[in-house]
Amino acid sequence: MISVLCYGDSNTYGQRSEEVDKGRWPAEVRWTGQLAALLGGGYHVIEEGLGGRTTDLDYPESMNRPGRNGRAYLLPALLSHNPIEVVVLMLGTNDLKIQFGRTAAEVVAAIGRLLEDIAEYGRTEAGQPPKVVLVSPAHIDVAAPDFADVNGASYDTTSAAKAKQLAEPLAELAAAHGATFVDAATVAETGADGTHFSVPSHGRFARVIADEVRRVTG
């Protein structure tokens, strides 16, 4: 079995963009579940998505959002799931929240540290670092119909502009680390809340990731 660790935030968890109060889409809808179906029996897809997860930032204690620091959890995730052949890494959107004030360059640098951690602590069956599919996240749509109600206090137009600045430097970062790069914004758009994948996007994104996973494991 070829293990594929999908490590990300609420878009890896499968948070609904519509009917957000109902939480997570079922496995057959979310892209990780569709990825598993596309890859078939020779692969084991591991879902490690969490709403609000950042690259390496902690929320204030007053917000009661513990465990969202992506770097802090990455090490135990790698060690508990090793051996891993592929890591699909998609983070960065939550770093762009107004409260953190991060620049696009700071987000990219933080993702670079995650790639270093994967290389150091992730291991394949052969004892080598796993392949990485590095994903630049979908864009933030401040014009989406439910954006103001659901996400207006967290993100603004500056956040959306920064999200559009991530793809090019992340592609360069992937190349520097020998990783495969995918720009989610080329195949996935957000739904009604402006931050989470629309339902059709889950399927399109799953197909792209499946192609990349097959390629790097072929």
Side-chain angles (χ1 to χ4, degrees), residues 53-189:
R53 178 175 281 153
T54 65
T55 56
D56 61 1
L57 296 167
D58 292 303
Y59 290 84
E61 288 186 11
S62 60
M63 292 190 69
N64 194 28
R65 301 206 79 183
R68 264 62 176 191
N69 185 315
R71 192 176 189 192
Y73 186 70
L74 178 59
L75 174 57
L78 292 169
L79 296 179
S80 63
H81 293 300
N82 277 336
I84 302 163
E85 299 299 320
V86 184
V87 177
V88 180
L89 178 64
M90 181 168 62
L91 284 172
T93 300
N94 288 294
D95 290 47
L96 300 176
K97 286 178 174 174
I98 298 166
Q99 69 186 99
F100 294 127
R102 268 197 160 168
T103 65
E106 289 170 333
V107 176
V108 172
I111 292 172
R113 292 188 286 273
L114 299 182
L115 293 178
E116 292 169 358
D117 289 346
I118 292 169
E120 183 171 358
Y121 298 107
R123 286 295 176 266
T124 66
E125 286 277 8
Q128 300 299 312
K131 301 290 186 181
V132 177
V133 179
L134 178 60
V135 181
S136 181
H139 294 165
I140 298 167
D141 183 6
V142 297
D146 296 340
F147 176 82
D149 290 339
V150 178
N151 289 304
S154 298
Y155 302 97
D156 59 11
T157 55
T158 300
S159 306
K162 292 175 185 176
K164 293 180 178 179
Q165 297 168 11
L166 292 175
E168 184 175 348
L170 284 178
E172 294 172 356
L173 182 69
H177 285 264
T180 294
F181 174 73
V182 171
D183 182 0
T186 62
V187 293
E189 73 277 339

Side-chain angles (χ1 to χ4, degrees), residues 187-201:
V187 293
E189 73 277 339
T190 55
D193 72 358
T195 57
H196 297 107
F197 284 4
S198 66
V199 170
S201 294

Side-chain angles (χ1 to χ4, degrees), residues 7-25:
Y7 192 77
D9 53 29
S10 51
N11 270 319
T12 299
Y13 174 80
Q15 173 63 43
R16 297 171 186 252
S17 188
E18 295 75 24
E19 300 177 311
V20 294
D21 59 324
K22 294 185 179 180
R24 188 183 202 183
W25 287 114

